[in-house]
Amino acid sequence: GQNIDQPTEMTATEGAIVQINCTYQTSGFNGLFWYQQHAGEAPTFLSYNVLDGLEEKGRFSSFLSRSKGYSYLLLKELQMKDSASYLCAVRDGDYKLSFGAGTTVTVRA
Amino acid sequence: ETGVTQTPRHLVMGMTNKKSLKCEQHLGHNAMYWYKQSAKKPLELMFVYNFKEQTENNSVPSRFSPECPNSSHLFLHLHTLQPEDSALYLCASSQDYDSTGELFFGEGSRLTVL
C-alpha cells in the first residue's frame, strides 16, 4: 500500500503563515493533490502538482519534490475561514489515489 | 455545491437493517467512487466504477454492496452492518479513472450503526 504522512494538527494566528508538510512513498507517481475539508462539508480541491516546483494560487501555494517524496502546502495571510482539515493525496503509477489522514489547522484571532 | 449530491446526509440504523446510500453527479464524469472517512484516519477507498463497470473493490466486506446503474448514479447498499462501520461515507467523481484529474466529492452520508 501507499504511505502518506502529514502532521495531525497545527495552530496559527490570523494573518500569519502556516506550512503543512506531506511525505509519501508510492509505487510510481502521477501527481499530488491538496484538498481542504471544513467540518461537515465535502473535501474541495485546492492544488495539483505533478512536476517539481512551486504552484501558486492566491494565498495558497503548493510545492513538490519528487526525488524526496515531499510536498508542502503554504497558507499565507491566514483568515479564520481557513480553519479546516487539509488532505494530502497521491496518485500512484496505477492512477489509484491514496490520502493522508489530514492536518487540522486552527486559526486563532 | 460541487456537482455531486449524496442522500441521505445522516442515517442511523440497527445491525439488522437494510438501507442504501445514494450518490448522483451532474458533471458528466465517467468515474465514480465510494470512500469511507473515519475520525483521524485517511480516507479509505472502497469501490471504483469507470463507465459503469466496477474497476476496484478494495477488500470491502460483503455487507457493503455497490450498484452503478449508469454513469451519473451510484448506490451503496448496506446490510447487517457492525458498529465499527459507523463513519462518513463520501462519494466522488472524476472525468476518468486513469487520468490525473481531480476528484469532486459530495458532502457525505454520516452513518451511525447502533
Side-chain angles (χ1 to χ4, degrees):
Chain A
Q2 320 302 355
N3 193 18
I4 301 171
D5 290 314
Q6 52 182 128
T8 305
E9 295 178 336
M10 301 184 77
T11 301
T13 306
E14 198 173 14
I17 298 173
V18 70
Q19 177 174 314
I20 307 169
N21 296 324
C22 173
T23 58
Y24 63 89
Q25 292 175 307
T26 58
S27 303
F29 180 80
N30 277 301
L32 184 143
F33 298 80
W34 285 96
Y35 283 83
Q36 179 191 60
Q37 186 178 23
H38 286 100
E41 297 184 13
T44 54
F45 169 77
L46 286 180
S47 69
Y48 171 69
N49 294 71
V50 67
L51 299 176
D52 291 350
L54 188 68
E55 295 281 341
E56 295 187 82
K57 261 190 192 181
R59 294 187 299 112
F60 293 2
S61 304
S62 57
F63 171 83
L64 175 68
S65 169
R66 288 172 296 170
S67 62
K68 295 182 179 177
Y70 168 71
S71 171
Y72 68 72
L73 180 69
L74 194 69
L75 315 179
K76 301 179 219 175
E77 301 168 21
L78 279 173
Q79 301 175 10
M80 300 300 288
K81 66 178 182 179
D82 297 330
S83 292
S85 182
Y86 292 84
L87 311 177
C88 175
V90 179
R91 204 181 280 281
D92 67 16
D94 293 326
Y95 293 95
K96 180 179 174 180
L97 189 66
S98 297
F99 285 80
T103 300
T104 300
V105 171
T106 302
V107 181
R108 293 185 174 163
Chain B
E1 177 59 49
T2 63
V4 180
T5 305
Q6 290 186 242
T7 54
R9 293 292 311 277
H10 299 273
L11 178 63
V12 179
M13 59 187 288
M15 289 191 284
T16 58
N17 292 158
K18 284 185 183 180
K19 297 285 184 183
S20 296
L21 306 180
K22 179 183 175 183
C23 176
E24 183 175 1
Q25 57 99 356
H26 312 276
L27 301 169
H29 289 166
N30 298 312
M32 295 188 76
Y33 310 74
W34 280 116
Y35 279 88
K36 177 183 178 182
Q37 187 174 36
S38 303
K40 306 298 183 186
K41 290 185 178 180
L43 267 70
E44 298 174 46
L45 179 63
M46 299 176 72
F47 301 104
V48 181
Y49 279 82
N50 197 36
F51 290 97
K52 302 189 298 177
E53 299 296 321
Q54 189 178 126
T55 58
E56 191 147 351
N57 176 339
N58 218 25
S59 302
V60 180
S62 59
R63 57 186 184 269
F64 294 92
S65 173
E67 179 190 358
C68 188
N70 55 61
S71 293
S72 300
H73 293 85
L74 185 64
F75 295 89
L76 188 63
H77 303 300
L78 315 171
H79 178 48
T80 59
L81 295 192
Q82 304 297 312
E84 60 264 30
D85 297 322
S86 298
L88 182 68
Y89 288 85
L90 289 165
C91 174
S93 71
S94 65
Q95 187 59 56
D96 296 291
Y97 177 59
D98 56 350
S99 71
T100 54
E102 73 266 30
L103 267 61
F104 292 78
F105 286 89
E107 294 189 322
S109 294
R110 172 71 61 187
L111 173 66
T112 303
V113 182
L114 301 176

